[in-house]
Amino acid sequence: MSYQDTNPRNEWPLWEIFIRGQHGMSHRHVGSLHAPDAEMAIKNARDVYTRRNEGVSIWVVEAEKITASSPSDKGPMYEPSQSKVYRHPTFFDIPDDVGAM
Amino acid sequence: MYAQMVKSENTDSGPELDAFQARIDAGEKIEPKDWMPAGYRKTLIRQISQHAHSEIVGQLPEGNWITRAPTLERKAILLAKVQDEAGHGLYLYCAAETLGVSRDELTEMLLDGRMKYSSIFNYPTLTWADIGAIGWLVDGAAIMNQVPLQRTSYGPYARAMVRICKEESFHQRQGYDIMMKMAQGSEAQKRMAQDALNRYWYPSLMMFGPSDKESVHSAQSMSWRIKINSNDELRQKFVDQTVPQAEYLGLTVPDENLRLDPETGHYKFSEPDWTEFFEVLNGNGPCNKERLEARNKAWDDGQWVRDGMMAHARKKAARAASAKVVAE
Amino acid sequence: MGDHLFEFLLRQGDNTLILSHRISEWCGHAPIIEEDIALANIALDLLGQTQMWLGLAAEVEGAGRSADDLAMLRDAWDFRNAILVERPNGDFGQTMMRQFLFDAYHVELLNRLANSTDERIAAIAAKSLKEVEYHFERSATTVIALGDGSEESHARMQAALDDQWTFAGELFETDAGDHALNDAGIAPLPSELRAGFNTRAIAVLGDATLNIPETTFAHSGGRSGKRHSEHLGHLLTQMQWLQRAYPGATW
C-alpha cells in the first residue's frame, strides 16, 4: 500500500530529526516534524530545531521507515550485556598511586 | 493551565495495569511502544493536544502586536517569542502523535471546536503593556506548570517539556522587562501598565483551573504522573511569587482582599470569577470567535499550499523511480 | 558622496525593514506550523540586517538620529525601499514569489557588496549573505514545488509571477548616486546585477514550470522615493503608531 492510500487527509509525512551539534560527537534525536519530502524535511529541521545555533549537521528519516525494538524484547536485547561488567572501566580497581588512567 | 479541566479516563484493570502503575511509581518513563491503559493514552492525547492548541492559538493575541512593536529590538524579541510558541505547539503535537493520532486530525478537532485551548487566549491585547503583562503573568503561570511536567511519566511528553522549558526561560523575563520600562516611563505608560495588570490578573489566576481538591480526574492524573501539582497549589505559588514583583514595579494588584498571612507566609487572595471562566470555556470569552476564525482561515487558505507541496513531492519521487528503472 | 552613501544605506535598510515587516504579518497565520516558523526566521534575519544598515545610515548622517528614529519617525516620502517589498502579502504563493524575486536580487547584491571598499559595508554584507543564501534556497525550493505541484498551486504561482514581475525591475534601476558609489568601489551598479538575477530566475522558474512574462516594463518610484504605492502609508501607520502617539517615550 502506498502512503497515498493510507493518508486520505493528504497530510505531510512525519520525519524524525537527528542533529549533531557544534561540539557533539554524533547525531542525536531532537524531535520530529512534518514535511512533504526529505529535502524540505532538512530545511524545516534547520528552521525548527536550530533556531538557537544548536546544530552543524542534520539527518532526517521518515518516521514510518524506522524499525524499533519492541519493549517486550527488553530482557533478551539488553540484559546479556549487563553481565559483561568488565566492559566498563570502573570494573577494574587501579591503585591511586598509578595515576590517571 | 494550558491544559485546563482535562478529564481522565480509566477503563482498564488487571495485572497489566498493576505492573504499569508500578513502573510509574518507580519513576520509569513510559515510551510509545510500551503497553499502556487505554485511559492513560486517551487522557494524554487530550491533555497534550490541548496544550499544543494553546500554544498555536496563543500566537494570535501577541502576534497582534508584532507589526506595532515600538522599536526594532522589541519587534525582533516579540517575533522570536511568538515563533517559539509555534515551535512549542509543534513539539507537543509530535508528542501527541506518538500516541497514534495525526496532527491534522487534532487540528481539525481544534478548528471545529471539539477540542479546547486555554481560556487565557480569549482575552484581547489592547495596548503594548498587554504584551508585557502576558510575558510576565501568563508565561509566568505557564512555567509554574511546565517545570514539574518535565518529570511527567510519558517519555515523549517529558522530553518536549524539557525543550520547551529551556526555550521558554526568556519569555517571562522579556515580559517583565517591558513592564519595568513602562512602570519607569511617562504617566501614560504607567497607566497603561496598571491597566494591563488590572485586566490580566484574574484571567491569569483562572489559567490554573478551578480548585481540584475533590476531583477524581485529578487524582487519577496525579497517580499516572501526568499532573504533578494540584491547581490550588500552583495558583498559591504563582500569587506568592507575583505579588512582590508587582510591588517592585509600583503597580497595584487589583484585589482588595490581598494580604500576606504572617502565619503561613502565603498571600490570601480573592478567587477569580468562575462563572466568567466557564463562559469563556464555553465560547463566550471576548475573543473566542476571532481566535477560532483566524485559525480556520489560516488552515483553509493554506490547504492548496499543503496539497501543492505534497503533489510536487510525489511527482519528484515518481520521476526518480522511473529514472532508476530506465538506468537499470 | 556623503549624501549618496546615506541614500544607499537607506535603500538597503528600508528594503529589509519593509519586507521583514510584511513577512512578520504571517506569524500565526501560515499554511502549516513549519512554514510559520520558517517565515519568522526570514523576518528575523531581515530585521537584524535592518538594524545594521539603518544603524550605519544614522552614523553616516551624523545628525544624532538612531536606527529606530529612521525606522519609526520618517514619513513615506523619505523611505527608499523598492515598491515590490511594500506590496501586501496576498496569498502564500504571492508572498513566496515576492520573496524569491527579492532573494535572487539580494544574493547577487550582497555577493558584490562583500567586496566593498567600505569595510563597514563589506562586513554587513558578509554577515547578511550567509542568511540570504539560505533564504534564496528556501524560497526557490518552495516556488519550484508550488509551481510544479498541483493544478491549483501552479495557476496561483503563475498569477503571482505575472503580478510581481513588473515590480522586480525597479531593483535594478540605476541613478547618478549609484554611479558615484560604483566609481568609488563602494557598491556595484544595480543594472550590473540583472544578468545574475536573470540566470537564477530562468533556472528556478523553469523548474517551477512557470512562464516569465514577456514585458520589459518596470514599475518605479520606491527606491527614488518619488512615488511609493498607497500601501506604504498604511504599513507605516501601524509600524510607527506607538512612537508617533507617545513622542519621546522609552520602551
Side-chain angles (χ1 to χ4, degrees):
Chain A
M1 218 193 299
S2 76
Y3 182 77
Q4 208 163 350
D5 301 323
T6 57
N7 183 23
R9 276 195 178 74
N10 211 18
E11 186 163 359
W12 290 1
L14 188 68
W15 300 77
E16 299 300 335
I17 311 302
F18 301 82
I19 290 182
R20 181 162 62 77
Q22 307 275 355
H23 308 290
M25 297 287 279
S26 56
H27 288 72
R28 272 188 57 215
H29 183 244
V30 294
S32 356
L33 49 76
H34 289 266
D37 59 21
E39 191 190 349
M40 282 311 294
I42 296 240
K43 289 197 167 59
N44 288 347
R46 178 220 180 256
D47 279 303
V48 172
Y49 287 107
T50 68
R51 297 201 305 286
R52 286 171 170 79
N53 240 331
E54 293 96 330
V56 290
S57 167
I58 301 173
W59 288 351
V60 299
V61 187
E62 206 174 331
E64 65 170 23
K65 300 265 165 67
I66 290 184
T67 309
S69 65
S70 155
S72 52
D73 294 343
K74 218 169 171 179
M77 285 279 269
Y78 307 113
E79 267 160 34
S81 66
Q82 280 172 16
S83 59
K84 299 179 181 62
V85 283
Y86 45 81
R87 284 188 185 275
H88 300 275
T90 47
F91 176 75
F92 304 95
D93 237 348
I94 307 287
D96 288 347
D97 299 344
V98 180
M101 183 178 288
Chain B
M1 201 29 59
Y2 280 11
Q4 289 159 328
M5 313 271 305
V6 175
K7 287 195 181 119
S8 67
E9 309 227 2
N10 196 356
T11 49
D12 303 78
S13 59
E16 272 176 320
L17 190 67
D18 296 339
F20 176 79
Q21 190 61 51
R23 287 186 61 196
I24 288 182
D25 294 344
E28 272 186 55
K29 290 270 178 275
I30 309 300
E31 293 298 333
K33 289 188 137 198
D34 293 348
W35 183 88
M36 62 185 84
Y40 177 82
R41 184 186 300 272
K42 247 178 131 173
T43 310
L44 264 180
I45 290 175
R46 213 177 275 160
Q47 178 173 334
I48 300 173
S49 4
Q50 206 182 105
H51 191 162
H53 296 329
S54 298
E55 298 281 357
I56 297 302
V57 177
Q59 285 185 273
L60 298 171
E62 287 177 281
N64 188 26
W65 277 89
I66 291 172
T67 54
R68 287 178 289 172
T71 67
L72 298 173
E73 189 181 63
R74 287 287 179 207
K75 189 171 164 143
I77 294 169
L78 181 59
L79 181 54
K81 179 188 184 253
V82 181
Q83 181 199 40
D84 273 352
E85 281 155 18
H88 298 170
L90 186 147
Y91 307 155
L92 287 160
Y93 281 127
C94 289
E97 281 177 282
T98 62
L99 293 159
V101 280
S102 84
R103 191 167 85 190
D104 280 9
E105 268 177 84
L106 297 173
T107 302
E108 282 164 17
M109 286 196 267
L110 166 70
L111 296 181
D112 64 20
R114 272 178 290 161
M115 278 186 142
K116 303 280 180 213
Y117 56 89
S118 176
S119 55
I120 191 74
F121 301 117
N122 290 312
Y123 288 88
T125 49
L126 304 177
T127 70
W128 175 251
D130 289 9
I131 300 307
I134 288 185
W136 171 36
L137 302 173
V138 175
D139 290 302
I143 290 166
M144 296 253 141
N145 183 51
Q146 289 173 349
V147 166
L149 276 176
Q150 294 178 95
R151 293 177 281 116
T152 186
S153 62
Y154 188 57
Y157 190 21
R159 288 190 286 275
M161 290 321 302
V162 168
R163 202 174 177 92
I164 289 171
C165 286
K166 207 167 95 190
E167 296 186 351
E168 189 113 339
S169 55
F170 94 85
H171 292 183
Q172 192 186 9
R173 283 164 165 262
Q174 69 87 31
Y176 198 70
D177 188 56
I178 290 176
M179 293 307 272
M180 283 201 299
K181 276 274 172 1
M182 312 269 301
Q184 293 159 6
S186 67
E187 267 319 300
Q189 285 176 303
K190 282 181 198 157
R191 270 174 51 212
M192 234 186 262
Q194 182 63 53
D195 175 60
L197 175 58
N198 292 349
R199 280 182 289 106
Y200 272 95
W201 175 254
Y202 287 107
S204 300
L205 296 186
M206 290 178 201
M207 285 177 69
F208 300 94
S211 178
D212 55 355
K213 270 182 286 202
E214 330 260 287
S215 161
V216 280
H217 297 306
S218 284
Q220 175 62 77
S221 289
M222 280 174 143
S223 76
W224 278 336
R225 289 185 72 77
I226 56 182
K227 184 179 171 76
I228 312 287
N229 306 91
S230 80
N231 295 350
D232 290 329
E233 256 167 40
L234 290 174
R235 188 170 15 249
Q236 183 68 56
K237 205 171 156 201
F238 173 75
V239 173
D240 289 345
Q241 176 189 291
T242 309
V243 172
Q245 293 169 349
E247 283 166 0
Y248 179 85
L249 292 172
L251 299 178
T252 310
V253 173
D255 179 358
E256 287 178 359
N257 301 318
L258 186 78
R259 62 181 177 83
L260 187 63
D261 183 343
E263 277 178 30
T264 60
H266 294 299
Y267 282 91
K268 298 242 186 207
F269 56 94
S270 303
E271 288 279 309
D273 177 357
W274 292 112
T275 320
E276 176 182 316
F277 172 76
F278 285 108
E279 286 297 343
V280 173
L281 274 199
N282 288 329
N284 294 326
C287 300
N288 293 57
K289 267 192 84 164
E290 285 94 330
R291 300 292 183 247
L292 267 191
E293 268 168 20
R295 286 313 310 156
N296 270 291
K297 184 174 182 336
W299 187 248
D300 294 343
D301 289 354
Q303 186 71 49
W304 72 270
V305 177
R306 298 188 300 275
D307 289 350
M309 302 270 284
M310 200 63 227
H312 169 70
R314 290 202 182 100
K315 280 187 189 174
K316 213 167 71 172
R319 283 195 289 260
S322 65
K324 206 173 155 202
V325 172
V326 171
E328 281 162 5
Chain C
M1 182 59 72
D3 285 353
H4 292 318
L5 186 58
F6 180 59
E7 179 102 351
F8 165 83
L9 292 168
L10 288 183
R11 285 170 175 174
Q12 309 315 313
D14 288 347
N15 272 343
T16 53
L17 171 63
I18 301 300
L19 184 56
S20 161
H21 185 95
R22 280 295 185 218
I23 305 168
S24 77
E25 292 173 3
W26 275 102
C27 188
H29 305 276
I32 193 164
I33 307 174
E34 284 81 357
E35 292 293 343
D36 208 294
I37 293 171
L39 282 168
N41 275 340
I42 296 173
L44 282 169
D45 285 346
L46 293 173
L47 198 49
Q49 293 171 21
T50 303
Q51 288 172 302
M52 295 189 286
W53 288 125
L54 292 186
L56 183 53
E59 191 186 315
V60 165
E61 187 193 32
R65 292 202 280 184
S66 66
D68 276 311
D69 293 338
L70 290 175
M72 301 296 177
L73 299 174
R74 279 180 300 154
D75 204 345
W77 60 71
D78 284 331
F79 273 77
R80 292 293 180 267
N81 57 283
I83 292 175
L84 176 74
V85 298
E86 72 198 32
R87 300 184 78 223
N89 285 332
D91 67 15
F92 183 78
Q94 284 171 295
T95 295
M96 288 320 291
M97 182 58 77
R98 177 184 64 197
Q99 191 64 37
F100 165 71
L101 295 172
F102 184 78
D103 290 343
Y105 151 81
H106 209 189
V107 174
E108 292 294 325
L109 171 68
L110 293 172
N111 259 315
R112 298 285 299 273
L113 289 181
N115 298 315
S116 170
T117 52
D118 186 320
E119 282 174 15
R120 298 166 301 181
I121 291 175
I124 296 173
K127 185 171 186 308
S128 306
L129 185 57
K130 286 186 204 134
E131 298 168 347
V132 170
E133 276 173 342
Y134 177 72
H135 299 176
F136 174 76
E137 210 186 293
R138 185 162 184 116
S139 63
T141 309
T142 309
V143 164
I144 292 171
L146 290 174
D148 176 61
S150 68
E151 221 171 284
E152 181 179 4
S153 72
H154 175 83
R156 282 178 182 263
M157 294 314 283
Q158 185 63 55
L161 178 58
D162 293 347
D163 179 46
Q164 317 245 27
W165 185 253
T166 52
F167 288 94
E170 188 186 2
L171 298 167
F172 308 101
E173 205 175 85
T174 301
D175 63 14
D178 294 311
H179 279 286
L181 291 179
N182 186 50
D183 292 345
I186 293 172
L189 291 179
S191 55
E192 289 172 2
L193 305 173
R194 182 86 212 205
F197 168 86
N198 281 348
T199 308
R200 288 173 188 272
I202 290 167
V204 170
L205 297 172
D207 284 352
T209 70
L210 299 173
N211 297 317
I212 297 178
E214 287 190 8
T215 175
T216 53
F217 174 76
H219 285 281
S220 161
R223 89 188 289 274
S224 66
K226 282 181 187 153
R227 190 167 62 207
H228 279 280
S229 70
E230 291 177 348
H231 307 297
L232 180 62
H234 289 287
L235 186 154
L236 296 183
T237 55
Q238 259 196 34
M239 187 173 84
Q240 302 182 336
W241 153 251
L242 277 173
Q243 292 286 358
R244 300 284 193 179
Y246 301 94
T250 310
W251 305 92

